[in-house]
RNA sequence: GGGGACGUAGUUCAGUUGGUUAGAACGCUGCCCUGUCACGGCAGAGGCCGCGGGUUCGAGUCCCGUCGUCCCCGCCA
């Protein structure tokens, strides 16, 4: 292999096969760097030594595929290249075969500047030849293997579940697959193997896992692709802590495979705490939490500032940002996405001038240094449009929630904007700082769906409520906590799971709370409800995004860097040019008519 | 569905207040070169300025539309 040759191989005959990475033609002396998956080795063609082979070498061009036979030779000291592992050796060519020529590629894998993403995706096979992509794909392989080995050793069976399955109206949009044999009927690709893995528990496979593709027809983001890979697992008779232990175990193995040693157990935080302290259910703990500064203001202050005294007031601190210029402040304002009636005070100096006592108190409460950036987010006292549906309680909570989450989004936007100044996102080499894991627990069971004017499952409708909250299912749905948990890394949700409902009576209550009639529940999940009646063990599990784990390990900003053949923001594969219309005959066979 | 950024040579980019023949680097082609490794030197080819309208004596530059890529909000149980 091209990356394997070392000085100790000196004198041996070697065969190298690979691509022409670079050619340096000095006339009577030609150097060719031959590249394969493992690296690059320099091959020397000397006219004096072998005119015929040298002549052949002068016809080589970038990305030709060649085979070279020659003698490995230790380089003389002043020609050693310290930048590459094979830099102490070179291959003196004795025979050269061009296995294939290449058209001039639109870009070169060895080039330092990247072409734009459109180009990279269209010619993905060339992009994937680049070192960085080869490394990412190898990393992905190693991580998968580590996780498989770990879970297998812990007694989990990897069991496959169908890709062509049943559409369920809950959750994300389904990708549909028409049935030819049953015209007018459709399979759906799984958003996750949720019900199958629960049925595997009912079937007696008490520890299941699968590294499996899932499909969701929703809009894309840098960290969201329409098809993605989950590490899905489920176990019988677990406490949440047992599931967390398993996850911590395989993540330790996965990170070890990538060369990082992480500490377990991960810290834990309730959902309420996460919202109050970070304005997010996936806190990025690499930066300080927000601070409740409601007490810093007098009632008179709040009136002057036109701030609603009954809503939260929080301070966001970003370390080491330094003083904001007028221009900075103008740029900061649009980063704030006003949710509900949340409003922003971005000019802390002005606050110090007009409300010196409050400002001093905020500084103290948030432990701010002089060089830290402070901004304050509060609720506007102007009467907003009040939606009366849904009862009093969720509305009050929603307004609090809006202020916290608006602040949380701003906190992240500021952190990204000033990443160079605070440096918290730079890899330090210390895994305790670079990888801030967190369990977020006690999620609410239900969320108020403003459009549908009903309660919806926050996680999914098979999640078990907290035992103590059972009696609130009817009286106070907003207060019901779920036995659901997320694992979060550096502000990215890696995975989500729960203890499931294993009793049919409770499952029925949940459907009822969700406003589903018995008939509706049966038509959607009849097979599952029936299965629950045949001796279902208590069970629970979780699913983690493999792509996201690898993305963070690779230090990438987008899933596209760790997926060999990803899709664009419009869910298009630019290489194969999918999706496409299909011909009339195909449609006819499926009994489908396309609206023009 | 909404907001923002970008689109100029094969690639990455520059292009002033609207003004004559649109530039650079890398890549490509040819020649020279025996220790280069992002080789070097000389010469050369290469452009529907994304596409379609408009304003103007004149548009890469201004306006409108459209297509594509990226980021964000909504959405993603």
């Amino acid at each position: 292999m091209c990356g394997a040759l070392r000085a100790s191989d000196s004198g041996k005959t070697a065969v190298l096969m690979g691509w022409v990475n670079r050619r340096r033609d000095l006339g009577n002396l030609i150097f060719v760097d031959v590249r394969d998956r493992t690296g690059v080795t320099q091959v020397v063609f000397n006219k004096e030594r072998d005119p015929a082979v040298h002549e052949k070498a002068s016809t080589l061009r970038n990305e030709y595929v060649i085979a070279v036979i020659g003698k490995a030779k230790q380089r003389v000291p002043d020609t050693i290249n310290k930048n590459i592992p094979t830099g102490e050796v070179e291959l003196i060519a004795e025979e050269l075969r061009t296995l294939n020529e290449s058209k001039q590629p639109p870009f070169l894998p060895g080039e330092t500047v990247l072409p734009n993403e459109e180009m990279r995706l269209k010619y993905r096979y060339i992009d994937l030849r680049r070192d960085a992509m080869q490394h990412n794909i190898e990393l992905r392989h190693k991580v998968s293997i580590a996780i498989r080995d770990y879970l297998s050793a812990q007694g989990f069976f990897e069991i496959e579940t169908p890709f062509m399955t049943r559409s369920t109206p809950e959750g994300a949009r389904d990708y549909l697959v028409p049935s030819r044999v049953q015209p007018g009927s459709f399979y759906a690709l799984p958003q996750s193997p949720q019900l199958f893995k629960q049925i595997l528990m009912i079937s007696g496979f008490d520890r299941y896992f699968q590294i499996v593709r899932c499909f969701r027809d929703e809009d894309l983001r840098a960290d969201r692709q329409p098809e993605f890979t989950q590490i899905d697992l489920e176990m019988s008779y677990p406490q949440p802590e047992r599931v967390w232990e398993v996850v911590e175990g395989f993540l330790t193995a996965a990170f070890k495979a990538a060369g990082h040693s992480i500490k377990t157990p991960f810290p834990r935080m309730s959902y309420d705490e996460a919202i109050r302290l970070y304005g997010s259910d996936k806190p990025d703990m690499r930066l300080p939490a927000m601070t409740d500064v409601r007490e810093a203001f007098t009632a008179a202050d709040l009136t002057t500032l036109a701030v609603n005294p009954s809503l939260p007031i929080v301070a966001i601190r970003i370390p080491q940002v330094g003083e904001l210029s007028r221009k900075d402040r103008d740029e900061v304002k649009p980063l704030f996405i006003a949710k509900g009636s949340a409003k922003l005070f971005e000019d802390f100096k002005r606050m110090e001038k007009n409300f010196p006592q409050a400002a001093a108190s905020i500084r103290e409460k948030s432990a701010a240094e002089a060089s830290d950036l402070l901004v304050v987010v509060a609720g506007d006292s102007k009467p907003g449009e009040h939606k009366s549906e849904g009862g009093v309680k969720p509305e009050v909570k929603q307004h609090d929630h809006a202020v916290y989450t608006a602040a949380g989004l701003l906190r992240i936007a500021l952190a990204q904007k000033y990443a160079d100044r605070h440096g918290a996102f730079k890899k330090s080499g210390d895994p305790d700082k670079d990888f801030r894991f967190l369990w977020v627990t006690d999620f609410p069971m239900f969320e108020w769906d403003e459009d549908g004017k009903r309660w919806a499952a926050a996680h999914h409708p098979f999640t078990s409520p907290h035992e103590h909250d059972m009696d609130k299912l009817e009286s106070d749905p907003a207060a019901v906590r779920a036995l659901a948990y997320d694992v979060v890394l550096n502000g990215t949700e890696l995975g989500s799971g729960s203890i499931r409902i294993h009793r049919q009576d409770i499952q029925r209550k949940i459907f009822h709370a969700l406003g589903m009639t018995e008939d509706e529940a049966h038509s959607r999940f009849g097979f599952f409800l029936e299965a629950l009646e045949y001796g279902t063990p208590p069970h629970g599990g979780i699913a983690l995004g493999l792509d996201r784990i690898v993305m963070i390990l690779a230090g990438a900003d987008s899933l596209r860097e760790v997926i060999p053949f990803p899709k664009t923001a419009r869910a298009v594969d630019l290489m194969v040019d999918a999706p496409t219309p299909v011909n009339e005959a195909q449609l006819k066979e499926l009994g489908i008519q396309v609206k023009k």
Side-chain angles (χ1 to χ4, degrees):
Chain A
M1 299 294 263
C2 294
L5 231 46
R6 291 293 179 274
S8 55
D9 297 312
S10 187
K12 289 183 194 159
T13 294
V15 186
L16 291 184
M17 284 183 261
W19 284 271
V20 173
N21 196 50
R22 239 190 195 101
R23 179 178 61 107
R24 291 175 293 279
D25 188 344
L26 276 61
N28 291 330
L29 194 60
I30 297 172
F31 298 98
V32 171
D33 294 337
V34 186
R35 182 196 72 236
D36 67 12
R37 206 177 78 189
T38 61
V40 165
T41 295
Q42 173 165 285
V43 178
V44 186
F45 298 90
N46 191 326
K47 191 170 190 179
E48 209 168 70
R49 180 188 287 264
D50 194 332
V53 174
H54 174 272
E55 171 67 25
K56 225 172 173 181
S58 67
T59 68
L60 295 179
R61 295 295 181 267
N62 283 325
E63 298 307 301
Y64 278 27
V65 185
I66 61 171
V68 195
I69 304 174
K71 279 234 163 52
K73 178 181 157 254
Q74 175 146 24
R75 298 199 198 178
V76 295
D78 59 337
T79 66
I80 286 173
N81 183 351
K82 293 191 196 82
N83 301 320
I84 54 173
T86 61
E88 289 183 31
V89 270
E90 56 196 7
L91 192 73
I92 309 301
E94 289 164 0
E95 210 181 317
L96 168 67
R97 202 161 297 163
T98 299
L99 302 178
N100 212 341
E101 301 183 348
S102 167
K103 289 210 297 190
Q104 187 195 334
F107 57 94
L108 293 173
E111 199 63 65
T112 41
V113 280
L114 272 180
N116 71 36
E117 225 173 328
E118 210 173 336
M119 199 52 73
R120 291 178 55 201
L121 290 173
K122 181 164 183 201
Y123 298 95
R124 193 57 159 176
Y125 37 88
I126 295 172
D127 188 49
L128 287 169
R129 289 179 192 167
R130 293 170 39 237
D131 275 352
M133 293 306 279
Q134 296 264 319
H135 172 262
N136 289 355
I137 300 303
E138 181 182 1
L139 178 67
R140 188 182 175 118
H141 163 74
K142 285 181 176 162
V143 166
S144 309
I145 291 289
I147 292 170
R148 266 209 177 85
D149 286 351
Y150 179 87
L151 289 175
S152 175
Q154 294 285 311
F156 286 79
F157 288 176
E158 183 163 24
I159 306 176
E160 288 168 278
T161 51
F163 275 4
M164 294 198 297
T165 178
R166 198 192 149 88
S167 175
T168 53
E170 297 283 319
R173 294 184 188 88
D174 286 322
Y175 277 102
L176 296 176
V177 180
S179 163
R180 174 185 58 82
V181 186
Q182 319 236 8
S185 283
F186 295 81
Y187 302 96
L189 302 179
Q191 297 170 25
S192 81
Q194 185 60 36
L195 292 178
F196 283 105
K197 70 174 171 177
Q198 290 191 240
I199 285 181
L200 283 170
M201 294 305 106
I202 301 174
S203 310
F205 295 100
D206 58 12
R207 287 171 182 211
Y208 142 92
F209 86 102
Q210 189 177 188
I211 296 184
V212 63
R213 200 67 60 83
C214 301
F215 308 85
R216 293 179 191 175
D217 185 5
E218 294 293 342
D219 287 353
L220 288 82
R221 288 284 190 286
D223 62 353
R224 265 160 43 188
Q225 283 274 314
E227 51 179 311
F228 58 100
T229 304
Q230 282 197 340
I231 304 146
D232 189 46
L233 71 86
E234 193 79 4
M235 52 207 296
S236 292
Y237 316 108
Q239 300 295 310
E241 288 78 5
R242 181 65 194 117
V243 177
W244 302 348
E245 248 176 71
V246 171
V247 170
E248 286 165 358
F250 78 65
L251 284 176
T252 300
F255 276 65
K256 192 175 166 205
H260 306 289
S261 131
I262 58 172
K263 265 204 205 86
T264 59
F266 303 154
R268 296 161 195 182
M269 185 184 293
S270 74
Y271 170 85
D272 280 342
E273 210 178 339
I275 295 294
R276 276 189 290 108
L277 293 176
Y278 295 91
S280 168
D281 61 359
K282 40 179 203 267
D284 192 331
M285 313 254 293
R286 290 174 299 179
L287 286 166
M290 310 189 300
T291 316
D292 178 352
V293 295
R294 169 67 186 76
E295 297 306 317
F297 295 93
T298 65
D301 288 346
L302 298 182
T303 310
T304 316
L305 288 165
V307 161
N308 186 333
S310 63
L311 289 177
I313 305 174
V314 293
I316 301 168
R317 174 168 77 89
I318 310 286
Q320 299 299 317
V321 173
E323 199 157 305
L324 288 191
S325 66
R326 172 67 201 276
K327 182 167 164 276
D328 283 329
R329 286 203 306 275
D330 284 346
E331 285 170 1
V332 161
K333 276 185 233 168
L335 296 179
F336 181 68
I337 297 150
K339 293 199 168 202
S341 58
K343 68 192 276 187
L344 166 69
F345 298 96
E346 80 285 352
D347 193 344
F348 196 73
K349 273 200 120 172
R350 201 163 131 199
M351 190 169 282
E352 280 179 317
K353 200 173 132 210
N354 297 338
F355 305 91
Q357 273 182 332
S361 168
I362 290 170
R363 263 197 193 287
E364 198 205 314
K365 281 175 192 288
S366 58
E369 309 264 333
S371 56
D372 294 353
L373 168 64
L374 275 176
V375 300
V376 173
V377 175
D380 201 315
S381 69
K382 270 179 274 174
E385 71 288 14
H386 279 267
K387 297 153 190 154
S388 55
E389 289 96 340
V392 175
K393 198 136 195 188
E395 190 177 313
V396 169
K397 263 197 112 169
Q398 270 179 21
H399 284 133
D400 280 15
H401 199 268
V403 173
Y404 286 128
T405 53
L409 285 173
L410 178 64
R411 174 175 173 270
I412 295 306
L414 289 171
Q416 276 162 2
K417 181 172 169 64
Y418 297 115
D420 290 345
R421 302 198 199 168
H422 61 71
F425 294 170
K426 257 205 234 100
K427 291 273 176 283
S428 67
D430 174 0
D432 294 343
K433 289 193 179 124
D434 292 346
F435 304 113
R436 297 294 299 267
F437 288 96
L438 177 72
W439 287 108
V440 178
T441 65
D442 298 324
F443 276 78
M445 185 74 196
F446 303 108
E447 275 167 2
W448 182 249
D449 174 10
E450 193 54 48
D451 295 334
K453 305 289 181 209
R454 62 178 192 100
W455 292 101
H459 184 58
H460 56 57
F462 315 108
T463 301
S464 175
H466 256 280
E467 235 170 288
H468 312 293
D469 296 345
M470 284 299 182
D471 53 336
K472 297 184 200 145
L473 280 178
E474 301 287 328
S475 57
D476 187 7
V480 178
R481 289 163 301 161
L483 285 175
Y485 33 80
D486 278 9
V487 57
V488 173
L489 170 54
N490 296 351
T492 297
E493 179 197 319
L494 283 190
S496 195
S498 64
I499 301 300
R500 328 296 182 188
I501 298 166
H502 64 279
R503 277 170 41 191
Q504 218 231 0
D505 54 334
I506 296 173
Q507 184 67 69
R508 214 179 268 135
K509 277 188 190 165
I510 298 298
F511 283 144
H512 187 249
L514 290 170
M516 227 185 274
T517 65
E518 195 95 343
D519 283 353
E520 277 174 328
H522 249 273
S523 73
R524 291 180 191 184
F525 306 111
F527 72 100
F528 183 69
L529 293 175
E530 189 176 6
L532 281 180
E533 294 186 276
Y534 290 97
T536 300
H539 59 284
I542 193 166
L544 275 74
L546 175 68
D547 316 85
R548 286 184 180 177
I549 294 170
V550 179
M551 175 177 89
I552 291 171
L553 280 170
D557 292 324
S558 158
L559 290 184
R560 295 184 300 276
E561 300 300 315
V562 297
I563 297 175
F565 304 105
K567 292 180 177 57
T568 69
R570 272 172 58 260
V572 167
D573 182 327
L574 291 176
M575 186 182 74
V576 305
D577 187 24
T580 59
V582 294
N583 66 42
E584 205 49 51
Q586 263 177 302
L587 287 175
K588 201 176 164 196
E589 199 166 38
L590 296 166
I592 294 177
Q593 208 176 1
V594 177
K595 252 191 176 167
K596 296 255 157 75

